[in-house]
């Protein structure tokens, strides 16, 4: 959902290839933003609603790119031979964080859009026993939360958005962590193998106080 709540960005295979689309929720008008056979997915809105960051498969590899919601050519931000995926935009709009395999293991990396030079990109986490996924900046921009895909119980961690030397700490449970607007709580998806998936909401760092916001009656979330 766009920051103003009026548009929905998504990836679809409806044209025979994975491309990005924007749906106007009030009129139903649909705009196709990207073209071509290359895989494109995981769109993430800039805070001003003018751009989307996303992942694109090119040269047999996943990279991070941005594109204007008015259309035009994508701007490619990464070219490392390892996979780069799942970008998230900072609340001030000048930084991106994403998951990269360039160290051989999924870790979080950060770049400044004021200096989009790959030689200046910063490794934010270094956790050989974890598999970082689906990062999300806090509304204040000082913390990034992410799920550990390697965790058997689906733990969510928080890490400083600026200090690579800081330690991550556990803040919840589930997948796809999403902040509440004021930054006090997290919503996550709790996957139940052979059961009903749920959307959970809990105060930050208090997973024991989680409440079920929605439970699927069929299929998965």
């Amino acid at each position: 959902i766009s920051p103003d709540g009026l548009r929905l960005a998504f990836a679809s295979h409806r044209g025979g290839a994975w491309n990005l689309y924007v749906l106007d929720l009030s009129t139903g008008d649909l705009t196709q933003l990207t073209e071509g056979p290359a895989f494109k997915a995981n769109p993430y809105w800039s805070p001003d609603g003018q751009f989307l960051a996303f992942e694109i498969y090119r040269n047999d590899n996943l990279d991070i790119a941005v594109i204007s919601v008015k259309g035009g050519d994508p701007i490619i931000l990464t070219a490392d031979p390892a996979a780069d995926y799942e970008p998230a935009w900072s609340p001030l709009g000048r930084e991106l964080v994403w998951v990269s395999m360039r160290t051989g293991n999924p870790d979080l990396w950060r770049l400044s859009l004021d200096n989009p030079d790959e030689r200046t990109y910063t490794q934010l986490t270094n956790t050989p026993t974890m598999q970082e996924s689906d990062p999300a900046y806090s509304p204040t921009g000082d913390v990034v939360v992410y799920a550990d895909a390697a965790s058997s119980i689906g733990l969510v961690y928080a890490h400083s958005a600026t200090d690579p030397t800081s330690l991550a700490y556990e803040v919840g449970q589930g997948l796809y962590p999403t902040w509440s607007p004021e930054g006090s709580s997290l919503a996550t998806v709790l996957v139940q193998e052979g059961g009903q998936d749920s959307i959970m909401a809990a105060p930050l760092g208090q997973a024991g106080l989680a409440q079920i916001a929605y439970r699927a009656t069929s299929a998965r979330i």
Side-chain angles (χ1 to χ4, degrees):
I1 298 290
S2 61
D4 60 11
L6 300 179
R7 294 165 293 172
L8 173 71
F10 62 94
S12 175
H13 194 265
R14 62 187 60 199
W18 284 100
N19 278 291
L20 303 185
Y21 296 78
V22 173
L23 174 67
D24 187 309
L25 295 173
S26 61
T27 67
D29 291 340
L30 184 66
T31 302
Q32 181 175 341
L33 281 185
T34 62
E35 297 180 349
F39 172 84
K40 309 164 195 76
N42 275 326
Y44 201 109
W45 290 91
S46 62
D48 61 5
Q50 299 301 307
F51 292 87
L52 292 173
F54 64 100
E55 61 191 38
I56 181 172
Y57 193 77
R58 63 188 198 104
N59 301 326
D60 297 323
N61 186 40
L62 279 174
D63 282 313
I64 303 298
V66 297
I67 191 171
S68 169
V69 294
K70 296 179 180 179
D73 294 330
I75 301 170
I76 307 297
L77 295 175
T78 62
D80 192 274
D84 296 295
Y85 53 97
E86 296 178 356
W89 221 298
S90 71
L92 294 180
R94 302 313 308 162
E95 292 182 346
L96 292 175
V97 67
W98 75 97
V99 181
S100 179
M101 290 291 296
R102 59 188 69 196
T103 60
N105 186 71
D107 283 308
L108 298 187
W109 283 67
R110 185 190 71 209
L111 66 85
S112 169
L113 292 169
D114 295 321
N115 184 23
D117 181 338
E118 195 140 16
R119 293 170 296 181
T120 68
Y121 296 172
T122 304
Q123 183 177 357
L124 200 57
T125 63
N126 184 8
T127 54
T129 61
M130 291 186 185
Q131 294 182 16
E132 283 86 334
S133 66
D134 299 296
Y137 275 94
S138 65
T140 56
D142 58 340
V143 172
V144 174
V145 295
Y146 57 91
D148 176 15
S151 170
S152 60
I153 58 174
L155 294 177
V156 176
Y157 292 87
H159 192 282
S160 167
T162 58
D163 182 7
T165 65
S166 68
L167 297 177
Y169 51 97
E170 183 182 332
V171 292
Q173 185 177 1
L175 300 173
Y176 315 112
T178 302
W179 291 87
S180 60
E182 82 296 334
S184 66
S185 304
L186 291 175
T188 60
V189 175
L190 194 63
V191 175
Q192 300 289 343
E193 295 298 334
Q196 296 172 305
D197 291 356
S198 300
I199 296 177
M200 310 297 293
L204 186 67
Q206 301 183 54
L209 299 180
Q211 297 184 8
I212 298 175
Y214 174 78
R215 175 171 285 157
T217 56
S218 63
R220 312 306 299 268
I221 298 178

